[in-house]
Amino acid sequence: MVVAGHIDDSADEFDAGLETDRREPTMTLAGWRRFVDTPAAHFDLLPERRWAKLSEPERDAYDEARLNYHSEMIIVATSTLRDVARQGRLLTLLNRREISARRGLIVSGQQTTGKTTALKQLGRAHELMVRQRYPERSGDRIPVVYVTTPPKGSPRKLAMEFARFLGLPPVKRGYNTTDIADAVCQVMIQARVDLVLVDELHNLNLATSAGEDMSDHLKYFTEHLPATFVYAGIDIERRLFTGVRGKQIAGRCVLINTGPFPCDAEWKALIATLDDALRLHRHEPGTLTRHARYLHRRTGGMIGSLSHLVRAAAQLAILEGEEAITRKLLDSIPVDHAAESARHGVA
């Protein structure tokens, strides 16, 4: 087994570990807590001499560990992450003693611009802070709830998303939406939830009666729970800030827009961070930074597309034995369709 550069003689043990390392989704309490508790990805390369002397089973285990590392690598601290963290922290403080009309936060933008990452990192930082402040209650307190807006949803489906996260018993057919919502609110109040993260808000369609009902139900939760609500979704202001309900949402929330990064100093700094995080034996530091403009053209400045491209290239460099990321290797890796379409001028 290989952990941070240390080798155990048994490759079978490592393979068994892979099976137990499958993550639960963060839309459950167990999965969320595992996400919060998991330390940042870390790996130390072996010295060249020791690497060259690895037996075949040891080399396989070592490479497998590096593949795992590059599947996660690091969370790059973008300006978006900092803005969401700062505004989210401020709102939780402002809402702490508020009885009604609590302010919320909406993170809106195109796909692959870091919205979900920013949302989860805000929740993780808040939960760790609460645990540190109240260590004696860390077992029975649930500082953060994370759910996604159900597609073509209804108030009942939304309430069930909250119930599923909290681990409440399966909802019986005889229970109506109010019963489920009341049970959810009671548990969340008892568990002292003070930050609620609602992702994929673009699934809420105010043009339909079901969407209107679900919007009203979200408002019901915000009014009955002493918590700060933070939402994320694609182009929320265009999709939701219309009509009476949309204007009500807009009037209660601060908006942070995400988007592609220009090819400027921050973009180069993001690439330099990823470059430094690579664990390849033939990698020359600064290689990715020298390709900053190329990487911007390939990804359209989207942080999600950049992360995918770099991580995929690192894994291929290991699998193919090159141990370095080259322009030729980057050219061979397709990124998401949106970035490729923008690159080739496809509407």
Side-chain angles (χ1 to χ4, degrees), residues 2 14 43 45 51 54 56-70 279 281 315 317-321 323:
V2 182
F14 181 80
F43 192 90
L45 283 176
W51 177 56
L54 292 178
E56 187 172 343
E58 289 174 337
R59 177 68 63 92
D60 289 343
Y62 178 71
D63 287 349
E64 194 67 33
R66 287 194 296 151
L67 290 171
N68 283 344
Y69 165 79
H70 286 105
R279 297 296 181 264
H281 282 275
Q315 290 182 324
I318 294 170
L319 291 171
E320 296 177 355
E323 292 294 333

mmCIF file of all heavy atoms in Angstrom, residues 2 14 43 45 51 54 56-70 279 281 315 317-321 323:
data_model
loop_
_atom_site.group_PDB
_atom_site.id
_atom_site.type_symbol
_atom_site.label_atom_id
_atom_site.label_comp_id
_atom_site.label_asym_id
_atom_site.label_seq_id
_atom_site.Cartn_x
_atom_site.Cartn_y
_atom_site.Cartn_z
ATOM 1 N N VAL A 2 0.474 2.283 -0.748
ATOM 2 C CA VAL A 2 1.253 3.502 -0.828
ATOM 3 C C VAL A 2 0.457 4.640 -0.214
ATOM 4 O O VAL A 2 -0.653 4.924 -0.631
ATOM 5 C CB VAL A 2 1.575 3.843 -2.300
ATOM 6 C CG1 VAL A 2 2.422 5.085 -2.376
ATOM 7 C CG2 VAL A 2 2.262 2.675 -2.969
ATOM 8 N N PHE A 14 -3.853 -2.595 -0.802
ATOM 9 C CA PHE A 14 -4.208 -1.331 -1.434
ATOM 10 C C PHE A 14 -5.476 -1.471 -2.267
ATOM 11 O O PHE A 14 -6.365 -0.637 -2.222
ATOM 12 C CB PHE A 14 -3.058 -0.846 -2.318
ATOM 13 C CG PHE A 14 -3.358 0.476 -2.973
ATOM 14 C CD1 PHE A 14 -3.210 1.646 -2.275
ATOM 15 C CD2 PHE A 14 -3.825 0.517 -4.270
ATOM 16 C CE1 PHE A 14 -3.512 2.866 -2.871
ATOM 17 C CE2 PHE A 14 -4.130 1.721 -4.866
ATOM 18 C CZ PHE A 14 -3.969 2.890 -4.162
ATOM 19 N N PHE A 43 0.348 13.909 -1.456
ATOM 20 C CA PHE A 43 1.188 12.793 -1.908
ATOM 21 C C PHE A 43 2.623 13.278 -2.057
ATOM 22 O O PHE A 43 2.865 14.350 -2.607
ATOM 23 C CB PHE A 43 0.697 12.225 -3.244
ATOM 24 C CG PHE A 43 1.334 10.920 -3.613
ATOM 25 C CD1 PHE A 43 0.764 9.730 -3.220
ATOM 26 C CD2 PHE A 43 2.532 10.888 -4.327
ATOM 27 C CE1 PHE A 43 1.357 8.519 -3.545
ATOM 28 C CE2 PHE A 43 3.134 9.689 -4.646
ATOM 29 C CZ PHE A 43 2.549 8.494 -4.254
ATOM 30 N N LEU A 45 6.286 12.351 -3.689
ATOM 31 C CA LEU A 45 6.990 11.495 -4.640
ATOM 32 C C LEU A 45 8.173 10.799 -3.971
ATOM 33 O O LEU A 45 8.845 11.370 -3.107
ATOM 34 C CB LEU A 45 7.509 12.325 -5.820
ATOM 35 C CG LEU A 45 6.498 12.758 -6.883
ATOM 36 C CD1 LEU A 45 7.187 13.650 -7.903
ATOM 37 C CD2 LEU A 45 5.850 11.566 -7.556
ATOM 38 N N TRP A 51 12.360 4.994 -6.486
ATOM 39 C CA TRP A 51 11.314 4.789 -7.501
ATOM 40 C C TRP A 51 11.786 3.792 -8.562
ATOM 41 O O TRP A 51 11.037 2.908 -8.974
ATOM 42 C CB TRP A 51 10.969 6.134 -8.129
ATOM 43 C CG TRP A 51 9.972 6.075 -9.242
ATOM 44 C CD1 TRP A 51 8.723 5.543 -9.197
ATOM 45 C CD2 TRP A 51 10.147 6.571 -10.574
ATOM 46 N NE1 TRP A 51 8.090 5.683 -10.414
ATOM 47 C CE2 TRP A 51 8.940 6.311 -11.271
ATOM 48 C CE3 TRP A 51 11.190 7.220 -11.234
ATOM 49 C CZ2 TRP A 51 8.767 6.680 -12.610
ATOM 50 C CZ3 TRP A 51 11.008 7.594 -12.567
ATOM 51 C CH2 TRP A 51 9.811 7.312 -13.242
ATOM 52 N N LEU A 54 11.556 -0.045 -7.539
ATOM 53 C CA LEU A 54 10.284 -0.659 -7.160
ATOM 54 C C LEU A 54 10.044 -1.932 -7.960
ATOM 55 O O LEU A 54 10.300 -1.984 -9.163
ATOM 56 C CB LEU A 54 9.118 0.306 -7.399
ATOM 57 C CG LEU A 54 9.031 1.557 -6.518
ATOM 58 C CD1 LEU A 54 7.838 2.401 -6.953
ATOM 59 C CD2 LEU A 54 8.923 1.196 -5.050
ATOM 60 N N GLU A 56 7.406 -4.743 -9.611
ATOM 61 C CA GLU A 56 6.205 -4.491 -10.419
ATOM 62 C C GLU A 56 4.950 -4.292 -9.556
ATOM 63 O O GLU A 56 4.196 -3.347 -9.793
ATOM 64 C CB GLU A 56 5.988 -5.631 -11.422
ATOM 65 C CG GLU A 56 4.854 -5.348 -12.393
ATOM 66 C CD GLU A 56 4.755 -6.383 -13.493
ATOM 67 O OE1 GLU A 56 5.739 -7.127 -13.709
ATOM 68 O OE2 GLU A 56 3.696 -6.447 -14.144
ATOM 69 N N PRO A 57 4.713 -5.173 -8.533
ATOM 70 C CA PRO A 57 3.538 -4.925 -7.681
ATOM 71 C C PRO A 57 3.641 -3.596 -6.930
ATOM 72 O O PRO A 57 2.638 -2.892 -6.773
ATOM 73 C CB PRO A 57 3.538 -6.113 -6.712
ATOM 74 C CG PRO A 57 4.325 -7.176 -7.400
ATOM 75 C CD PRO A 57 5.364 -6.457 -8.190
ATOM 76 N N GLU A 58 4.833 -3.245 -6.466
ATOM 77 C CA GLU A 58 5.020 -1.981 -5.767
ATOM 78 C C GLU A 58 4.792 -0.799 -6.698
ATOM 79 O O GLU A 58 4.154 0.189 -6.331
ATOM 80 C CB GLU A 58 6.425 -1.911 -5.178
ATOM 81 C CG GLU A 58 6.662 -2.830 -3.996
ATOM 82 C CD GLU A 58 8.113 -2.826 -3.550
ATOM 83 O OE1 GLU A 58 9.007 -2.488 -4.367
ATOM 84 O OE2 GLU A 58 8.352 -3.168 -2.379
ATOM 85 N N ARG A 59 5.287 -0.907 -7.938
ATOM 86 C CA ARG A 59 5.097 0.169 -8.911
ATOM 87 C C ARG A 59 3.611 0.349 -9.226
ATOM 88 O O ARG A 59 3.112 1.476 -9.336
ATOM 89 C CB ARG A 59 5.887 -0.157 -10.194
ATOM 90 C CG ARG A 59 5.707 0.853 -11.334
ATOM 91 C CD ARG A 59 6.329 2.182 -10.986
ATOM 92 N NE ARG A 59 7.759 2.078 -10.814
ATOM 93 C CZ ARG A 59 8.642 2.282 -11.785
ATOM 94 N NH1 ARG A 59 8.236 2.572 -12.997
ATOM 95 N NH2 ARG A 59 9.942 2.205 -11.531
ATOM 96 N N ASP A 60 2.894 -0.772 -9.369
ATOM 97 C CA ASP A 60 1.452 -0.685 -9.643
ATOM 98 C C ASP A 60 0.720 0.012 -8.503
ATOM 99 O O ASP A 60 -0.148 0.871 -8.735
ATOM 100 C CB ASP A 60 0.863 -2.081 -9.858
ATOM 101 C CG ASP A 60 1.314 -2.705 -11.171
ATOM 102 O OD1 ASP A 60 1.811 -1.954 -12.045
ATOM 103 O OD2 ASP A 60 1.184 -3.939 -11.323
ATOM 104 N N ALA A 61 1.057 -0.359 -7.266
ATOM 105 C CA ALA A 61 0.401 0.251 -6.110
ATOM 106 C C ALA A 61 0.747 1.735 -5.999
ATOM 107 O O ALA A 61 -0.112 2.574 -5.698
ATOM 108 C CB ALA A 61 0.812 -0.490 -4.824
ATOM 109 N N TYR A 62 2.002 2.049 -6.252
ATOM 110 C CA TYR A 62 2.476 3.433 -6.196
ATOM 111 C C TYR A 62 1.769 4.292 -7.251
ATOM 112 O O TYR A 62 1.283 5.399 -6.953
ATOM 113 C CB TYR A 62 3.987 3.433 -6.422
ATOM 114 C CG TYR A 62 4.651 4.791 -6.435
ATOM 115 C CD1 TYR A 62 4.788 5.540 -5.268
ATOM 116 C CD2 TYR A 62 5.186 5.305 -7.622
ATOM 117 C CE1 TYR A 62 5.419 6.777 -5.286
ATOM 118 C CE2 TYR A 62 5.829 6.529 -7.648
ATOM 119 C CZ TYR A 62 5.934 7.267 -6.473
ATOM 120 O OH TYR A 62 6.575 8.489 -6.488
ATOM 121 N N ASP A 63 1.662 3.782 -8.467
ATOM 122 C CA ASP A 63 1.004 4.524 -9.536
ATOM 123 C C ASP A 63 -0.492 4.665 -9.260
ATOM 124 O O ASP A 63 -1.100 5.707 -9.558
ATOM 125 C CB ASP A 63 1.225 3.838 -10.882
ATOM 126 C CG ASP A 63 2.647 4.014 -11.395
ATOM 127 O OD1 ASP A 63 3.389 4.837 -10.810
ATOM 128 O OD2 ASP A 63 3.016 3.318 -12.367
ATOM 129 N N GLU A 64 -1.085 3.613 -8.703
ATOM 130 C CA GLU A 64 -2.513 3.684 -8.382
ATOM 131 C C GLU A 64 -2.784 4.776 -7.359
ATOM 132 O O GLU A 64 -3.771 5.514 -7.456
ATOM 133 C CB GLU A 64 -3.000 2.335 -7.852
ATOM 134 C CG GLU A 64 -4.506 2.185 -7.803
ATOM 135 C CD GLU A 64 -5.149 2.152 -9.191
ATOM 136 O OE1 GLU A 64 -4.515 1.636 -10.131
ATOM 137 O OE2 GLU A 64 -6.266 2.669 -9.314
ATOM 138 N N ALA A 65 -1.897 4.894 -6.379
ATOM 139 C CA ALA A 65 -2.043 5.947 -5.369
ATOM 140 C C ALA A 65 -1.907 7.329 -5.996
ATOM 141 O O ALA A 65 -2.617 8.272 -5.640
ATOM 142 C CB ALA A 65 -1.000 5.760 -4.265
ATOM 143 N N ARG A 66 -0.991 7.462 -6.964
ATOM 144 C CA ARG A 66 -0.849 8.750 -7.641
ATOM 145 C C ARG A 66 -2.049 9.066 -8.528
ATOM 146 O O ARG A 66 -2.461 10.230 -8.643
ATOM 147 C CB ARG A 66 0.442 8.775 -8.467
ATOM 148 C CG ARG A 66 1.701 8.894 -7.616
ATOM 149 C CD ARG A 66 2.905 9.249 -8.475
ATOM 150 N NE ARG A 66 3.222 8.198 -9.440
ATOM 151 C CZ ARG A 66 3.800 8.419 -10.615
ATOM 152 N NH1 ARG A 66 4.087 9.651 -11.000
ATOM 153 N NH2 ARG A 66 4.094 7.409 -11.418
ATOM 154 N N LEU A 67 -2.616 8.046 -9.150
ATOM 155 C CA LEU A 67 -3.829 8.258 -9.938
ATOM 156 C C LEU A 67 -4.960 8.764 -9.043
ATOM 157 O O LEU A 67 -5.710 9.675 -9.415
ATOM 158 C CB LEU A 67 -4.243 6.962 -10.635
ATOM 159 C CG LEU A 67 -3.339 6.478 -11.775
ATOM 160 C CD1 LEU A 67 -3.742 5.077 -12.215
ATOM 161 C CD2 LEU A 67 -3.383 7.444 -12.959
ATOM 162 N N ASN A 68 -5.076 8.163 -7.863
ATOM 163 C CA ASN A 68 -6.083 8.623 -6.907
ATOM 164 C C ASN A 68 -5.830 10.071 -6.497
ATOM 165 O O ASN A 68 -6.757 10.889 -6.411
ATOM 166 C CB ASN A 68 -6.092 7.737 -5.664
ATOM 167 C CG ASN A 68 -6.797 6.422 -5.904
ATOM 168 O OD1 ASN A 68 -7.531 6.267 -6.872
ATOM 169 N ND2 ASN A 68 -6.559 5.455 -5.034
ATOM 170 N N TYR A 69 -4.574 10.381 -6.235
ATOM 171 C CA TYR A 69 -4.225 11.748 -5.837
ATOM 172 C C TYR A 69 -4.614 12.742 -6.927
ATOM 173 O O TYR A 69 -5.211 13.792 -6.658
ATOM 174 C CB TYR A 69 -2.723 11.850 -5.551
ATOM 175 C CG TYR A 69 -2.226 13.272 -5.486
ATOM 176 C CD1 TYR A 69 -2.422 14.040 -4.339
ATOM 177 C CD2 TYR A 69 -1.584 13.863 -6.582
ATOM 178 C CE1 TYR A 69 -1.986 15.359 -4.283
ATOM 179 C CE2 TYR A 69 -1.139 15.172 -6.534
ATOM 180 C CZ TYR A 69 -1.348 15.920 -5.382
ATOM 181 O OH TYR A 69 -0.924 17.236 -5.331
ATOM 182 N N HIS A 70 -4.294 12.431 -8.184
ATOM 183 C CA HIS A 70 -4.588 13.362 -9.265
ATOM 184 C C HIS A 70 -6.072 13.409 -9.618
ATOM 185 O O HIS A 70 -6.501 14.314 -10.352
ATOM 186 C CB HIS A 70 -3.761 13.013 -10.509
ATOM 187 C CG HIS A 70 -2.313 13.384 -10.388
ATOM 188 N ND1 HIS A 70 -1.331 12.445 -10.167
ATOM 189 C CD2 HIS A 70 -1.678 14.579 -10.428
ATOM 190 C CE1 HIS A 70 -0.156 13.051 -10.095
ATOM 191 N NE2 HIS A 70 -0.344 14.345 -10.245
ATOM 192 N N ARG A 279 2.312 15.526 -9.337
ATOM 193 C CA ARG A 279 3.246 14.544 -8.775
ATOM 194 C C ARG A 279 3.692 13.584 -9.879
ATOM 195 O O ARG A 279 3.243 12.442 -9.966
ATOM 196 C CB ARG A 279 2.581 13.787 -7.611
ATOM 197 C CG ARG A 279 2.214 14.667 -6.429
ATOM 198 C CD ARG A 279 3.464 15.270 -5.776
ATOM 199 N NE ARG A 279 3.116 16.092 -4.624
ATOM 200 C CZ ARG A 279 2.973 17.416 -4.655
ATOM 201 N NH1 ARG A 279 3.150 18.059 -5.805
ATOM 202 N NH2 ARG A 279 2.667 18.080 -3.567
ATOM 203 N N HIS A 281 7.212 12.293 -12.171
ATOM 204 C CA HIS A 281 8.662 12.196 -11.998
ATOM 205 C C HIS A 281 9.466 12.938 -13.069
ATOM 206 O O HIS A 281 10.641 13.222 -12.849
ATOM 207 C CB HIS A 281 9.077 10.723 -11.946
ATOM 208 C CG HIS A 281 8.815 10.088 -10.623
ATOM 209 N ND1 HIS A 281 9.690 10.159 -9.569
ATOM 210 C CD2 HIS A 281 7.736 9.394 -10.164
ATOM 211 C CE1 HIS A 281 9.188 9.523 -8.520
ATOM 212 N NE2 HIS A 281 7.998 9.042 -8.855
ATOM 213 N N GLN A 315 -2.958 12.035 -15.174
ATOM 214 C CA GLN A 315 -3.235 10.599 -15.080
ATOM 215 C C GLN A 315 -2.752 9.865 -16.329
ATOM 216 O O GLN A 315 -2.183 8.764 -16.231
ATOM 217 C CB GLN A 315 -4.727 10.374 -14.847
ATOM 218 C CG GLN A 315 -5.179 10.813 -13.452
ATOM 219 C CD GLN A 315 -6.644 10.532 -13.210
ATOM 220 O OE1 GLN A 315 -7.469 10.645 -14.113
ATOM 221 N NE2 GLN A 315 -6.986 10.174 -11.994
ATOM 222 N N ALA A 317 -0.269 10.800 -18.185
ATOM 223 C CA ALA A 317 1.191 10.809 -18.115
ATOM 224 C C ALA A 317 1.704 9.653 -17.266
ATOM 225 O O ALA A 317 2.765 9.088 -17.545
ATOM 226 C CB ALA A 317 1.678 12.143 -17.552
ATOM 227 N N ILE A 318 0.950 9.274 -16.246
ATOM 228 C CA ILE A 318 1.317 8.132 -15.406
ATOM 229 C C ILE A 318 1.021 6.831 -16.136
ATOM 230 O O ILE A 318 1.873 5.934 -16.230
ATOM 231 C CB ILE A 318 0.565 8.184 -14.068
ATOM 232 C CG1 ILE A 318 1.008 9.399 -13.242
ATOM 233 C CG2 ILE A 318 0.796 6.900 -13.261
ATOM 234 C CD1 ILE A 318 0.144 9.660 -12.023
ATOM 235 N N LEU A 319 -0.174 6.711 -16.683
ATOM 236 C CA LEU A 319 -0.594 5.471 -17.333
ATOM 237 C C LEU A 319 0.279 5.138 -18.548
ATOM 238 O O LEU A 319 0.566 3.963 -18.818
ATOM 239 C CB LEU A 319 -2.059 5.581 -17.765
ATOM 240 C CG LEU A 319 -3.093 5.618 -16.636
ATOM 241 C CD1 LEU A 319 -4.468 5.949 -17.199
ATOM 242 C CD2 LEU A 319 -3.134 4.282 -15.892
ATOM 243 N N GLU A 320 0.704 6.152 -19.279
ATOM 244 C CA GLU A 320 1.485 5.927 -20.496
ATOM 245 C C GLU A 320 2.985 5.991 -20.256
ATOM 246 O O GLU A 320 3.778 5.859 -21.199
ATOM 247 C CB GLU A 320 1.061 6.941 -21.561
ATOM 248 C CG GLU A 320 -0.402 6.764 -21.986
ATOM 249 C CD GLU A 320 -0.870 7.800 -22.989
ATOM 250 O OE1 GLU A 320 -0.079 8.730 -23.289
ATOM 251 O OE2 GLU A 320 -2.007 7.684 -23.473
ATOM 252 N N GLY A 321 3.380 6.211 -19.000
ATOM 253 C CA GLY A 321 4.786 6.174 -18.650
ATOM 254 C C GLY A 321 5.590 7.399 -19.030
ATOM 255 O O GLY A 321 6.825 7.404 -18.906
ATOM 256 N N GLU A 323 5.358 10.480 -17.606
ATOM 257 C CA GLU A 323 5.701 11.176 -16.363
ATOM 258 C C GLU A 323 5.887 12.683 -16.546
ATOM 259 O O GLU A 323 6.555 13.343 -15.745
ATOM 260 C CB GLU A 323 6.966 10.574 -15.737
ATOM 261 C CG GLU A 323 6.784 9.170 -15.212
ATOM 262 C CD GLU A 323 5.814 9.084 -14.027
ATOM 263 O OE1 GLU A 323 5.676 10.072 -13.292
ATOM 264 O OE2 GLU A 323 5.195 8.009 -13.852
#
